Amino acid sequence: MNGRTTIDWRAKGFPPSAEGMSANDFARSRPSLFEAGFSWPVMVIKRSAVDHNVAALARYCADRGESLAPHVKTTMSPQLWERQLAAGAWGLTVATPHQARVVRAHGVRRIFLANELVDDAAAAWAAGEMAHDDGFEFTCYVDSVAGVEILGEATRGRVDRRLRVVLEVGHEGGRTGCRTDTDAMAVARAVRREPSLALVGAAGFEGGLGHDRSTATVGAVTAFARRMRGLLTACDAEGLLDADTGEYLVSCGGSAFFDLVTAELAGDWDTRLPVRVLLRSGAYVTHDSLFYEKLSPFAQDPADARLRPAIEVWGQVLSRPEPGLVLAGIGKRDISFDEGMPVVLATRSRSGDIRVPAGCTVDRLNDQHAYLTVPGDSGIAVGDLVCLGISHPCTAHDKWQLVPLVDDDHRVVETARSYF
């Protein structure tokens, strides 16, 4: 798959000498990030960090008897999600019909659409894939009677198997999902009346309940997971869940609070069929240097057990127009900033010395510039390179179509293509 990617002038950051080469051939030569003629800025992914993170969450789920369908909206990169599947992922989670089609085009046979599906054409596509491949499994959300009716009409008569749906549980102030238990049960009953749909579980997203690990947030997340447990049990008691599915699903858990939801959802269930607890964490694969670094359940673990930031964005110092001010060629088009400014990880002088500077911060970004406040004795000079770490990986990968994966010596050993 990686070998089918051809590097051309549209691959931001890659050296002109790579034009027309396959991604595999380019990586096979193991070029140095700093000597191969890359055009700054460049985002890179540390391969060792990705491999560590994939193994860490796979081990976490295996130790607890839970399953993982990583949310690939973070990267939309086959080279990264193939690692997650190889590590034992149950399937892949996506957020949109487009993402589902991309993932399916790469041969994935179990897709969990963590969103409502009310697009007639997309629903017909899903039914068509099921009709053509008995081994293909597709699941999506429902949170309204109207949505159930649209999905049912779009899939009716198109496939012998019923389309799997899960009841999405929401919360006040959140995004999609049933706000009340009364509404949720009404939606579940609507699914039961629809011959082309099968209700197989419940799901929700707890990430909007807080951006910290305060007592209030922990309590809200725990109560939310407990509510999902209660609704799934109530649906089973009323006979609304599909008896032929073999197991029920309960799905929750982004990359910030998956420990809290699994603590509440794990254990025995008073249901007719066994319940699979399915995490959907996605950002963990490349992690970050700020937002999830503080919130991750692994944040307080020993250094060798914590998730590792895999993304670095390197750019040149373009100007030092005032004392204490550095302008680097890294901007909003190159790095994420929606959950906080980037952080300064390192600098590299023109002679090749890499060091970790003290007291340097990124205060703001323009489209193509980063404003760094630095101590007067920082020693950062025009032409040097600055390495920035990101906050929130989900808005970093979409800015880079093709990304070098580097080893710990910053030699390119692979590339990752994203399909946004």
Side-chain angles (χ1 to χ4, degrees):
M1 184 181 302
N2 208 13
R4 294 201 298 267
T5 299
T6 300
I7 300 170
D8 62 26
W9 61 269
R10 290 166 290 189
K12 185 168 70 168
F14 278 76
S17 60
E19 174 77 19
M21 294 179 65
S22 74
N24 274 350
D25 287 343
F26 179 75
R28 194 173 292 120
S29 65
R30 295 177 59 85
S32 167
L33 177 69
F34 307 118
E35 298 170 3
F38 278 89
S39 176
W40 312 108
V42 175
M43 185 174 102
V44 302
I45 298 173
K46 301 289 287 292
R47 184 173 66 175
S48 61
V50 167
D51 291 343
H52 169 85
N53 296 344
V54 169
L57 202 57
R59 185 167 54 249
Y60 178 92
C61 290
D63 288 347
R64 289 159 179 79
E66 296 153 0
S67 298
L68 175 65
H71 208 321
V72 297
K73 70 177 176 62
T74 299
T75 69
M76 284 304 294
S77 173
Q79 289 76 33
L80 299 181
W81 76 53
E82 284 175 353
R83 285 170 157 83
Q84 296 167 303
L85 290 169
W90 174 87
L92 297 182
T93 299
V94 296
T96 69
H98 165 73
Q99 293 171 6
R101 289 193 295 270
V102 170
V103 168
R104 179 63 176 154
H106 285 86
V108 176
R109 303 188 76 189
R110 183 179 279 146
I111 298 175
F112 190 90
L113 174 61
N115 215 340
E116 277 64 34
L117 181 58
V118 294
D119 180 331
D120 292 345
W125 168 84
E129 291 297 308
M130 291 170 59
H132 295 139
D133 183 354
D134 289 341
F136 176 58
E137 186 175 298
F138 181 86
T139 308
C140 67
Y141 285 179
V142 289
D143 77 344
S144 68
V145 173
V148 169
E149 292 172 349
I150 291 172
L151 185 58
E153 184 177 352
T155 56
R156 202 173 299 143
R158 290 181 177 271
V159 63
D160 292 336
R161 290 182 292 148
R162 289 180 292 165
L163 184 71
R164 294 159 51 94
V165 299
V166 293
L167 179 66
E168 187 186 9
V169 182
H171 60 84
E172 186 176 352
R175 53 191 191 200
T176 52
C178 299
R179 294 311 198 246
T180 69
D181 292 1
T182 299
D183 289 343
M185 295 303 291
V187 173
R189 294 178 188 119
V191 175
R192 185 65 176 170
R193 294 192 298 268
E194 178 50 62
S196 65
L197 305 181
L199 185 65
V200 298
F205 177 59
E206 78 290 346
L209 289 166
H211 280 182
D212 55 36
R213 282 191 167 255
S214 65
T215 301
T217 297
V218 170
V221 171
T222 300
F224 182 66
R226 187 176 301 133
R227 181 175 164 230
M228 279 202 303
R229 177 185 273 271
L231 278 168
L232 183 60
T233 303
C235 286
D236 181 59
E238 195 173 320
L240 302 177
L241 293 169
D242 181 37
D244 299 324
T245 186
E247 64 180 10
Y248 302 145
L249 293 180
V250 61
S251 178
C252 209
S255 292
F257 305 121
F258 56 80
D259 58 326
L260 302 179
V261 298
T262 55
E264 190 61 37
L265 298 175
D268 295 333
W269 284 73
D270 185 19
T271 51
R272 291 174 299 165
L273 296 179
V275 176
R276 181 184 296 274
V277 178
L278 184 66
L279 299 187
R280 304 191 308 275
S281 310
Y284 80 95
V285 66
T286 48
H287 198 46
D288 64 21
S289 299
L290 186 61
F291 182 68
Y292 286 112
E293 176 67 9
K294 294 179 179 178
L295 285 179
S296 169
F298 299 148
Q300 304 306 316
D301 288 353
D304 61 348
R306 292 198 296 266
L307 297 178
R308 299 174 185 172
I311 292 176
E312 299 175 347
V313 181
W314 290 82
Q316 281 189 305
V317 174
L318 304 178
S319 178
R320 294 213 51 178
E322 301 170 13
L325 176 63
V326 166
L327 274 297
I330 304 171
K332 293 178 180 179
R333 299 183 186 277
D334 312 306
I335 198 165
S336 56
F337 56 93
D338 58 308
E339 294 289 356
M341 285 292 105
V343 297
V344 181
L345 300 179
T347 61
R348 185 180 188 273
S349 69
R350 288 174 62 80
S351 62
D353 295 327
I354 295 180
R355 61 190 183 89
V356 179
C360 299
T361 60
V362 179
D363 296 324
R364 60 190 174 109
L365 298 171
N366 291 156
D367 288 349
Q368 312 287 181
H369 294 85
Y371 293 70
L372 279 64
T373 297
V374 303
D377 60 353
S378 67
I380 301 174
V382 171
D384 287 354
L385 293 176
V386 174
C387 176
L388 300 185
I390 62 147
S391 182
H392 197 202
C394 294
T395 51
H397 289 273
D398 59 326
K399 295 172 171 54
W400 296 86
Q401 186 182 57
L402 188 64
V403 180
L405 271 68
V406 299
D407 64 16
D408 291 344
D409 293 322
H410 286 94
R411 288 194 170 275
V412 179
V413 291
E414 195 177 339
T415 61
R417 171 77 160 84
S418 289
Y419 294 85
F420 284 101

